[in-house]
Amino acid sequence: MPSHLSADHPAGRPPGRGSVDALISQTRRLKVDVDAVRRDARDIDTGDPQGRWQRALYDLALHQLEDLDAHLAQLRDGPPPAPAAPRDSLLSRVGSAEWNLLADDAHWSAELYGILGRDPATPALTLDELPSLVLDEDRPKLTVMVTDCLVDARPIDGEFRVVRPDGGVRTVHMMGEPVLDGDGGTASMWAVLRDVSELRRSQGEVRRTRDSLQRHRQRAQSERRLAVELHEAVLPPGHGALPLPHRGTGTLDLAAARLPAATGSPLGGDWYDALELPDGQTLLSVGDLTGHGPAVTADTAMLLGALRGMGMAGTAPAQLMGWLNRLLDTTAQPVLAGALCCRYRPDTRALTWAQAGHPTPLLFRGGTGCRLDTPDGVLLGATTGAVYGQAEATLETGDLLLLHTTGLVPGDRTHRLLGLAPRFHEARTAQDCLRTVLEEFGESGRDDDACVLVARVTR
């Protein structure tokens, strides 16, 4: 294409070869560094939204650096000699054109013919004919750019999509200026057109993976919010006393808390519960289901409802555990990690309990603590139809009963709980005892959620 100068833009001195070489060297070093980082990160999980987004960004960065390297090399070496650059090379993605308004003809470079997929033996399209290659929805954009350039002498800088004869669609970025005659009128228009299809594809992939990552994070936040709302709606409060009507001679002072895992994972299936029954007895339970998230919280609510219903019907703890196991065994999920169920009768101060997997109750009396005897015949991970053992103990006024899930003291560190007996003896309320437990075991670093329930016989 013959060189033309806009009347408003005199020619500047071309950059020195040494300065361009320095830019090329910097670009290639950066390209090598980026490619090395990408290779180090090639084990990123592409099934994870954040992993896909990172991979797309690496690819986009390399695409842009490769294009920059090629353009700087072209700037240093000048226009490519005939024959034109190979069809798939980076240099073949940039073509040029000039439209002579006075002669109503056009001149295209060989690269532009290649970008548009047209036979170089055919005449170049005029400005009036050029829109025939453009997608219908992009034609108004092209018309505005050309009109502004020819009428108002504005530079062209915009993109549009063209349809090649083989049906392929390419995205073209066009930059150009008018060439003015001696009277200030527009004599011709020249432009550089660049095939940016691959670049836009990479950018589109970055946008899609970024949006997918954002949706993934929003969904995770929504699930956690739902889990918290559901947990608060159907389970007892996370901290503080559990008030019960004072009835009978063996009133229980209750307090309970849930201690979340240090990982900050969504709420899991741990629960604690205290329910006063119609006959004046009290049903106490702790336990957990495997997994995390709103689905597990909903399963926990279902389980807790079944447990309360069976308790209200007068079911003894051992039979209750057997029926609960049978209920859960009929479906693949949820899986019961463990449970401890106690029934307290205030007129005789009799405590009856059964368990599956979780630690036995701890009894504190007179400044000392001990584990209650494990029920005979207890089965861990029992199958459908299994019979659970049941144990009994008689409590006294001032006794403290502590129930907890395995996450509170993993690795069988029950001795740490038993060591709190003197402090429990000095405490006046169940809430004071619970506060002592939280001070001792509420530290960060917990691998799993935990629940603890404290019951104190007041009289």
Side-chain angles (χ1 to χ4, degrees):
M1 182 187 77
S3 300
H4 289 276
L5 298 179
S6 166
D8 297 326
H9 301 283
R13 177 173 298 179
R17 184 181 181 91
S19 59
V20 176
D21 280 336
L23 291 175
I24 292 174
S25 297
Q26 293 176 14
T27 301
R28 291 177 179 175
R29 284 197 300 269
L30 182 57
K31 186 168 61 173
V32 170
D33 292 342
V34 172
D35 190 44
V37 173
R38 185 180 67 162
R39 287 198 304 273
D40 290 341
R42 62 178 176 268
D43 58 345
I44 291 176
D45 182 10
T46 55
D48 174 67
Q50 183 167 350
R52 290 196 301 270
W53 173 71
Q54 290 177 354
R55 293 288 290 271
L57 276 178
Y58 282 130
D59 292 342
L60 175 61
L62 280 178
H63 271 304
Q64 292 175 323
L65 288 172
E66 288 169 355
D67 281 357
L68 178 60
D69 184 11
H71 297 329
L72 289 173
Q74 188 177 24
L75 180 64
R76 178 194 61 192
D77 301 335
R87 181 174 182 176
D88 294 331
S89 72
L90 289 170
L91 297 181
S92 67
R93 299 178 190 174
V94 181
S96 58
E98 182 181 2
W99 288 274
N100 191 314
L101 303 183
L102 301 180
D104 194 23
D105 62 4
H107 299 280
W108 287 1
S109 70
E111 292 80 14
L112 183 55
Y113 275 99
I115 291 171
L116 302 179
R118 296 183 60 84
D119 184 355
T122 61
L125 299 184
T126 65
L127 284 177
D128 291 334
E129 297 169 333
L130 184 62
S132 64
L133 304 179
V134 180
L135 285 178
D136 291 345
E137 54 265 39
D138 288 357
R139 288 179 184 175
K141 184 192 307 183
L142 175 63
T143 299
V144 170
M145 289 191 298
V146 172
T147 301
D148 289 346
C149 180
L150 299 181
V151 175
D152 300 325
R154 295 180 183 176
I156 289 178
D157 189 353
E159 291 183 8
F160 52 87
R161 289 165 296 171
V162 298
V163 181
R164 295 160 57 105
D166 60 5
V169 177
R170 309 298 292 178
T171 302
V172 175
H173 186 183
M174 183 166 72
M175 299 182 66
E177 291 184 345
V179 178
L180 308 180
D181 59 21
D183 298 328
T186 303
S188 62
M189 189 185 82
W190 65 270
V192 173
L193 294 93
R194 178 187 174 204
D195 184 350
V196 294
S197 303
E198 292 304 314
L199 180 61
R200 296 297 174 256
R201 183 199 61 77
S202 295
Q203 291 174 333
E205 181 64 21
V206 169
R207 286 194 299 270
R208 285 189 294 273
T209 55
R210 179 198 60 204
D211 294 343
S212 174
L213 177 60
Q214 290 176 344
R215 288 193 299 269
H216 177 76
R217 288 174 173 171
Q218 291 170 355
R219 184 166 58 250
Q221 291 173 354
S222 298
E223 288 178 352
R224 179 168 178 81
R225 195 160 48 243
L226 175 61
V228 172
E229 292 172 356
L230 187 57
H231 191 278
E232 293 176 347
V234 301
L235 300 180
H239 295 279
L242 299 173
L244 290 175
H246 289 238
R247 198 192 311 182
T249 59
T251 303
L252 293 178
D253 178 19
L254 298 171
R258 177 185 177 278
L259 286 71
T263 58
S265 58
L267 293 175
D270 284 50
W271 84 84
Y272 62 82
D273 191 35
L275 177 67
E276 189 172 35
L277 304 175
D279 60 2
Q281 299 186 54
T282 302
L283 185 68
L284 306 173
S285 68
V286 296
D288 67 290
L289 300 175
T290 58
H292 292 86
V296 175
T297 303
D299 291 334
T300 306
M302 177 273 295
L303 180 147
L304 187 55
L307 189 150
R308 287 177 171 180
M310 289 185 282
M312 293 288 285
T315 308
Q319 184 64 66
L320 190 152
M321 293 299 301
W323 287 353
L324 190 63
N325 180 76
R326 179 174 297 183
L327 171 67
L328 295 177
D329 197 59
T330 57
T331 57
Q333 295 291 336
V335 176
L336 181 64
L340 172 61
C341 180
C342 303
R343 195 178 185 100
Y344 177 69
R345 183 171 178 173
D347 56 347
T348 62
R349 297 196 182 96
L351 179 75
T352 306
W353 79 92
Q355 67 180 123
H358 272 291
T360 55
L362 302 182
L363 177 62
F364 297 86
R365 177 183 294 170
T368 61
C370 66
R371 298 177 180 175
L372 295 181
D373 293 334
T374 300
D376 293 334
V378 64
L379 299 177
L380 305 183
T383 59
T384 302
V387 177
Y388 286 85
Q390 184 169 288
E392 295 185 2
T394 301
L395 304 184
E396 300 178 0
T397 300
D399 281 355
L400 184 75
L401 188 68
L402 191 149
L403 315 180
H404 67 89
T405 58
T406 54
L408 181 66
V409 284
D412 193 22
R413 293 183 293 168
T414 307
H415 64 278
R416 289 183 58 190
L417 278 171
L418 296 176
L420 299 177
R423 297 173 64 183
F424 289 161
H425 185 63
E426 296 175 357
R428 293 181 300 173
T429 66
Q431 184 64 35
D432 292 338
C433 297
L434 176 64
R435 189 176 297 110
T436 298
V437 174
L438 297 180
E439 290 173 355
E440 184 70 19
F441 298 97
E443 72 276 3
S444 60
R446 187 183 316 283
D447 295 329
D448 202 357
D449 302 333
C451 284
V452 58
L453 188 153
V454 177
R456 184 170 176 268
V457 181
T458 56
R459 66 174 188 268

